[in-house]
């Protein structure tokens, strides 16, 4: 569920795929709670996962709805290949179809008429999310549900009162990356309720999931923190002071006793918000007006 997979180029997919896989592993319990919460009117048989990445949502939905088939859509051929390999390993490949597509285009491929459309950490990457939301409205079956899951921001990993050489380092790294994303990914962290309403949906329910997972619960948290902070270093580095950058590099040093991979005091703290929406009925004589 982390951002970036909708427009990740294939040469970079290996690094991003690793983060997506760790995100799925560490946050599996929270993802399952979201799929269980969805206010569905019946068991969905056809689900579309928009911006599926390597399949965190796809497999959570297949687990939650054992009679459903999922069409997994992403722009990255590498991510989709990994998803297919995982589907074969889990013996659910007969229930998964992958489609490589750019959701920023006017003409989407044929994705059928799904009962549920799921978009986790993907809509904010689109250049024109309003157009994409209207495309989802046209796609969705009558009484179908559209679930938009979005991040409040990048996860935090360091304890609030850790004996760091640079107190407040993680706050400053976040400030640097937030400024970058405000310019390049302006819809990240947005309130999707008004945008869904403008696109012809009624938001039936909204839920914010608070994530706070202590490192003792999962050894993957160290790898998740390491991969995540290593990935955003490039964005933060030009803004950070030399002292902050040196402290960040110490955290990313696999040989340092203070390195992220050796620490036992890490946690994952973040929030995810879910909007569950249904399309409004539009009279036939009003269709085509937007």
């Amino acid at each position: 569920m982390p951002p970036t997979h909708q427009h990740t180029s294939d040469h970079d997919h290996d690094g991003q795929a690793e983060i997506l896989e760790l995100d799925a592993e560490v946050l599996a319990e929270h993802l399952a709670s979201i799929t269980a919460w969805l206010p569905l009117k019946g068991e969905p048989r056809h689900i579309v996962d928009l911006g599926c990445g390597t399949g965190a949502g796809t497999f959570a939905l297949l687990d939650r709805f054992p009679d459903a088939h999922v069409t997994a859509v992403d722009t990255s051929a590498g991510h989709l290949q990994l998803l297919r390999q995982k589907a074969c390993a889990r013996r659910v490949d007969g229930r998964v179809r992958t489609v490589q597509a750019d959701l920023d285009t006017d003409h989407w491929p044929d994705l059928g008429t799904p009962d549920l459309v799921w978009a986790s950490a993907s809509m904010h990457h689109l250049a024109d999310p309003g157009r994409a939301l209207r495309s989802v409205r046209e796609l969705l079956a009558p009484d179908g549900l559209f679930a938009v899951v979005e991040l409040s921001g990048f996860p935090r990993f360091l304890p609030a009162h850790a004996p760091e050489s640079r107190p407040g380092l993680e706050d400053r790294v976040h400030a640097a990356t937030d400024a970058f994303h405000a310019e390049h990914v302006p819809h990240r962290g947005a309130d999707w309720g008004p945008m869904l309403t403008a696109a012809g949906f009624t938001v039936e329910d909204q839920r914010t999931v608070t994530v706070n997972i202590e490192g003792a619960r999962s050894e993957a948290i160290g790898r998740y923190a390491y991969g995540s902070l290593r990935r955003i270093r490039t964005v933060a580095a030009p803004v950070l002071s030399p002292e902050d950058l040196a402290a960040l590099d110490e955290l990313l040093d696999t040989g340092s006793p203070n390195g992220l991979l050796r620490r036992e005091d890490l946690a994952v703290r973040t929030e995810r918000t879910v909007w569950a929406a249904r399309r409004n009925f539009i009279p036939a004589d009003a269709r085509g007006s937007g």
Side-chain angles (χ1 to χ4, degrees):
M1 289 200 271
T4 70
H5 56 259
Q6 172 59 26
H7 290 294
T8 299
S9 58
D10 280 337
H11 79 274
D12 189 41
H13 97 271
D14 288 338
Q16 180 62 15
E18 179 185 6
I19 299 298
L20 293 173
E21 294 291 276
L22 287 166
D23 184 85
E25 179 180 351
V26 172
L27 300 178
E29 180 181 326
H30 293 83
L31 189 55
S33 75
I34 292 173
T35 61
W37 166 83
L38 295 173
L40 294 156
K41 294 187 175 180
E43 291 283 303
R45 304 301 294 266
H46 179 202
I47 302 170
V48 169
D49 182 1
L50 295 177
C52 60
T54 60
T58 295
F59 295 112
L61 292 162
L62 288 171
D63 288 344
R64 176 70 180 87
F65 305 110
D67 294 326
H69 287 71
V70 175
T71 299
V73 185
D74 202 274
T75 191
S76 168
H79 288 169
L80 294 175
Q81 180 181 10
L82 181 55
L83 190 154
R84 287 192 296 270
Q85 292 171 351
K86 290 163 61 179
C88 288
R90 298 179 185 214
R91 299 184 179 179
V92 293
D93 48 305
R95 298 171 58 203
V96 177
R97 176 172 77 106
T98 58
V99 176
Q100 185 178 3
D102 182 355
L103 301 180
D104 263 328
T105 63
D106 282 322
H107 303 290
W108 286 12
D110 182 7
L111 300 176
T113 307
D115 311 297
L116 171 63
V117 174
W118 170 274
S120 177
S122 57
M123 298 303 291
H124 65 255
H125 288 287
L126 300 177
D128 187 352
R131 179 176 63 188
L133 293 177
R134 292 190 295 273
S135 295
V136 174
R137 184 194 67 197
E138 297 303 317
L139 185 71
L140 201 59
D143 287 332
L145 190 74
F146 182 26
V148 178
V149 187
E150 282 292 352
L151 327 174
S152 61
F154 206 79
R156 307 273 178 141
F157 300 101
L158 296 174
H161 303 292
E164 306 297 342
S165 59
R166 299 286 296 172
L169 172 65
E170 194 168 29
D171 289 339
R172 293 188 292 277
V173 171
H174 275 260
T177 56
D178 287 347
F180 175 86
H181 286 120
E183 179 180 356
H184 297 280
V185 196
H187 297 289
R188 193 183 76 156
D191 180 356
W192 287 82
M195 285 188 277
L196 285 162
T197 300
F201 288 92
T202 297
V203 177
E204 286 199 356
D205 210 344
Q206 178 179 335
R207 178 189 182 193
T208 296
V209 178
T210 300
V211 178
N212 189 355
I213 305 173
E214 297 298 327
R217 289 183 55 193
S218 172
E219 62 83 24
I221 287 179
R223 291 184 285 117
Y224 187 33
Y226 174 81
S228 299
L229 288 174
R230 182 183 62 179
R231 191 165 181 82
I232 65 174
R233 181 194 182 280
T234 302
V235 173
V239 182
L240 295 176
S241 70
E243 294 80 8
D244 278 348
L245 187 56
L248 177 59
D249 285 340
E250 182 183 6
L251 290 172
L252 296 173
D253 182 352
T254 57
S256 169
N258 193 44
L260 294 168
L261 293 179
R262 298 191 176 196
R263 294 178 62 147
E264 298 180 354
D265 61 349
L266 302 176
V268 178
R269 300 184 303 280
T270 188
E271 287 186 347
R272 305 281 164 106
T273 300
V274 193
W275 290 264
R278 296 188 196 280
R279 70 176 191 175
N280 295 333
F281 172 73
I282 301 175
D285 57 0
R287 292 174 188 166
S289 61

